[in-house]
Amino acid sequence: AEGPDEYKRVGSASLRLFGLLGFLAFATKTDVARGFVLLFLPLGLAGLFLGRWLMRVRLARTREHGRSYHRVLVVGNYSTVHELVTQLENDLRHGFRVVGACVSGTPHGDAEAVHVVGGLGDVRQVVKELGVDTVAVAGSPELTGESLRRLSYDLEGTGIDLLVAPALLNVAGNRISIRPVAGVPLLHVDEPELDGARKVVKMIFDRSTSLLLLVLLSPVLLAAMIAVKVTSRGPMLFRQTRVGRDGQLFSLLKLRTMQVDAEQRLQELLDRNEVRGGVLFKLKDDPRVTPLGRFLRKWSLDELPQLINVLAGQMSMVGPRPPLPTEVEKYEGHAHRRLLVKPGITGLWQVSGRSDLSWEDAVRLDLQYVENWSLGLDMAVLAKTLLAVVRSAGAY
C-alpha cells in the first residue's frame, strides 16, 4: 500500500492492537493506566507515520537516482501498452522502470515512447535477455484468458512477478475488489462516494481548517493587502467569476497580482499561450503581472483570500482547479465531471506541476481526484502542497 492507504492501514492496525490490549486487560483484570493509552497511542501513531514517511522519502530519492527499482517488461496491444508505460514513467518514485515492451498492433503517435523488443510470443525469451523481474500485462484482444494462464505457467519458479493492469488506470485501489463468480475472478468497481457522511466530514474539515488558517495567517494577509495597495494602482483584492460544484457560479477572491487593465489586454496575448489544448491560458513572463505580484504568486500568497471562499462553502481546501465559465464552455467528453465536487485551493494538479501541466494532464488529475477523493487523500495533497509552495515549482 502507498500514500493515504498506507497510513490508513497503519492507523487501523494500531487501533486494533490497542483494542486487543484493552480486551486482554479487562479479561485478566489487569490494571492499565489511562495515561498510558492517552499518551502512547497518539505518540506511537505519530512516530509510525513519521517513520514511514521518512522511509518513503529516502526510497523515492534512491529510485530517482536509478537504484532500487523493478525492471518491468510491459506486454499487450500497442495502444494499451503506450498508456501504461506513460503512467509508469510519469513518476519513477513508485519503483517501476520499463525496460521494454512486447506488443501486438502497429506503433502510432510517438513511436519512440515505447521501446518495442518483441511480439507477444517473445515474452519468455525477452525476460531472460533483459533481466526482467516484473512482467506487467496491459489489455489486449490477443491476450485471452488461456494466453495469460500460459504466461503465468511460463513464469513459475523464475521469481518474476506477474502484474495485470486493468483498463481502469485512474481508479483507486480501495474502490476495486475481486469477486469470484462461477470460478471467474471479476473486478468489482464501487461508485465514487460524492455524498453522504464523508461529504459532511469533508465540509467540517474544510471550514474548520480554513477558519484556523485565516486566524493564524491574518497578519500575513493584512500585510500583503497593504503592500498591494501601496505598490500599484487598483483594488487590493481581485474578484473573478468561477464555476463551482454542479455549475454554480461564485466570486473567487485573490490578492491582485496584475495591473488593473489585465482583462482588457488578454486578447493581445492569446497567441503566446504556453498551455497546450487552447482551454487554459498561462504565460510564464506575463507582462501584466506586477513585480509584487510575481513574489506573491511564487509563494502562493495571492491565494490566501480563497480561505474565505472555503469558509463560505463555495470551495474546498482540496479539489479540482476552479474553472472560468469560458473554460467550461470548451469542455469535451467527461471533463464536466470536474464539477461534481467543489473546486479546491489546491489539488492533485497543484502538487504535480502547477502551471507546467498541459490541459490534458490537468483534466486527468482532476478527474482522478473526483473519482477517488477521501479525507486521507486531502491530507496527503495538503502536505505535498506545502512542499510544492516551498519549492515554488511551476508557480507563475
Side-chain angles (χ1 to χ4, degrees):
E2 294 185 7
D5 191 47
E6 177 182 6
Y7 299 111
K8 181 179 179 181
R9 291 188 182 187
V10 171
S12 177
S14 299
L15 292 176
R16 289 179 182 180
L17 175 61
F18 271 80
L20 177 61
L21 292 176
F23 172 78
L24 292 176
F26 174 78
T28 59
K29 296 183 179 180
T30 302
D31 291 332
V32 179
R34 295 179 180 178
F36 173 81
V37 178
L38 295 176
L39 179 62
F40 284 96
L41 177 58
L43 289 180
L45 279 175
L48 285 172
F49 291 159
L50 179 60
R52 283 182 172 266
W53 179 77
L54 290 174
M55 287 189 290
R56 286 289 180 187
V57 170
R58 181 178 180 181
L59 181 59
R61 290 178 178 175
T62 300
R63 286 171 172 171
E64 287 175 349
H65 288 85
R67 302 189 301 273
S68 300
Y69 61 84
H70 297 279
R71 294 174 60 84
V72 182
L73 175 70
V74 183
V75 180
N77 180 271
Y78 184 86
S79 298
T80 55
V81 165
H82 183 279
E83 185 175 2
L84 180 57
V85 169
T86 301
Q87 293 284 346
L88 292 177
E89 294 188 344
N90 275 341
D91 192 349
L92 296 178
R93 293 175 301 174
H94 293 295
F96 292 96
R97 180 159 296 184
V98 179
V99 296
C102 290
V103 304
S104 63
T106 304
H108 57 84
D110 186 5
E112 297 182 357
V114 178
H115 178 45
V116 178
V117 294
L120 297 183
D122 304 322
V123 175
R124 190 170 185 175
Q125 177 182 351
V126 171
V127 162
K128 295 179 180 179
E129 293 177 352
L130 298 182
V132 170
D133 59 44
T134 303
V135 174
V137 180
S140 173
E142 294 85 353
L143 278 173
T144 62
E146 181 61 29
S147 301
L148 190 58
R149 189 180 299 111
R150 287 199 300 267
L151 177 59
S152 68
Y153 293 159
D154 290 340
L155 297 178
E156 278 186 4
T158 63
I160 297 174
D161 293 330
L162 177 62
L163 306 178
V164 180
L168 303 168
L169 292 180
N170 287 327
V171 177
N174 57 5
R175 288 181 52 207
I176 298 177
S177 59
I178 298 179
R179 292 187 179 182
V181 179
V184 179
L186 300 179
L187 282 179
H188 176 79
V189 182
D190 293 328
E191 292 186 9
E193 296 184 28
L194 303 177
D195 295 296
R198 291 176 62 191
K199 176 184 175 182
V200 176
V201 172
K202 182 176 175 66
M203 179 188 67
I204 295 174
F205 171 78
D206 284 338
R207 296 195 174 183
S208 58
T209 303
S210 61
L211 179 60
L212 176 62
L213 290 177
L214 276 173
V215 173
L216 294 177
L217 299 176
S218 56
V220 177
L221 178 58
L222 181 60
M225 292 175 65
I226 295 175
V228 170
K229 188 65 176 178
V230 171
T231 57
S232 62
R233 181 174 56 88
M236 294 180 290
L237 292 178
F238 172 70
R239 301 173 183 268
Q240 190 175 49
T241 301
R242 298 291 181 106
V243 182
R245 182 177 182 179
D246 298 328
Q248 296 181 354
L249 302 180
F250 70 96
S251 181
L252 180 138
L253 300 176
K254 298 182 73 173
L255 289 174
R256 183 176 57 81
T257 58
M258 289 187 172
Q259 299 166 357
V260 290
D261 61 345
E263 292 295 320
Q264 290 74 26
R265 297 175 58 188
L266 177 61
Q267 290 298 323
E268 65 187 58
L269 299 173
L270 288 178
D271 59 342
R272 296 170 57 186
N273 189 8
E274 297 176 353
V275 180
R276 299 189 307 272
V279 179
L280 297 178
F281 176 82
K282 291 288 183 180
L283 188 59
K284 190 168 186 178
D285 296 317
D286 196 323
R288 302 172 299 165
V289 180
T290 64
L292 176 64
R294 295 191 185 281
F295 173 81
L296 296 176
R297 289 188 174 195
K298 179 178 180 180
W299 302 107
S300 297
L301 297 176
D302 60 314
E303 298 178 0
L304 288 181
Q306 292 176 39
L307 293 171
I308 300 174
N309 291 117
V310 176
L311 191 60
Q314 299 164 332
M315 293 180 63
S316 175
M317 292 298 300
V318 180
R321 175 186 171 277
L324 292 164
T326 53
E327 296 172 359
V328 175
E329 292 174 358
K330 299 177 183 178
Y331 279 1
E332 296 179 355
H334 298 295
H336 286 90
R337 290 184 62 81
R338 302 171 82 198
L339 305 180
L340 291 177
V341 299
K342 292 178 182 178
I345 295 180
T346 185
L348 291 177
W349 49 274
Q350 177 85 327
V351 299
S352 303
R354 302 169 83 178
S355 296
D356 293 332
L357 289 175
S358 67
W359 164 246
E360 293 79 9
D361 287 337
V363 171
R364 176 179 58 82
L365 289 171
D366 279 345
L367 292 182
Q368 181 178 334
Y369 176 82
V370 172
E371 296 289 339
N372 306 299
W373 75 271
S374 66
L375 189 58
L377 178 59
D378 282 7
M379 298 293 288
V381 170
L382 288 173
K384 291 182 179 180
T385 298
L386 181 60
L387 295 177
V389 170
V390 170
R391 296 169 181 167
S392 66
Y396 51 83

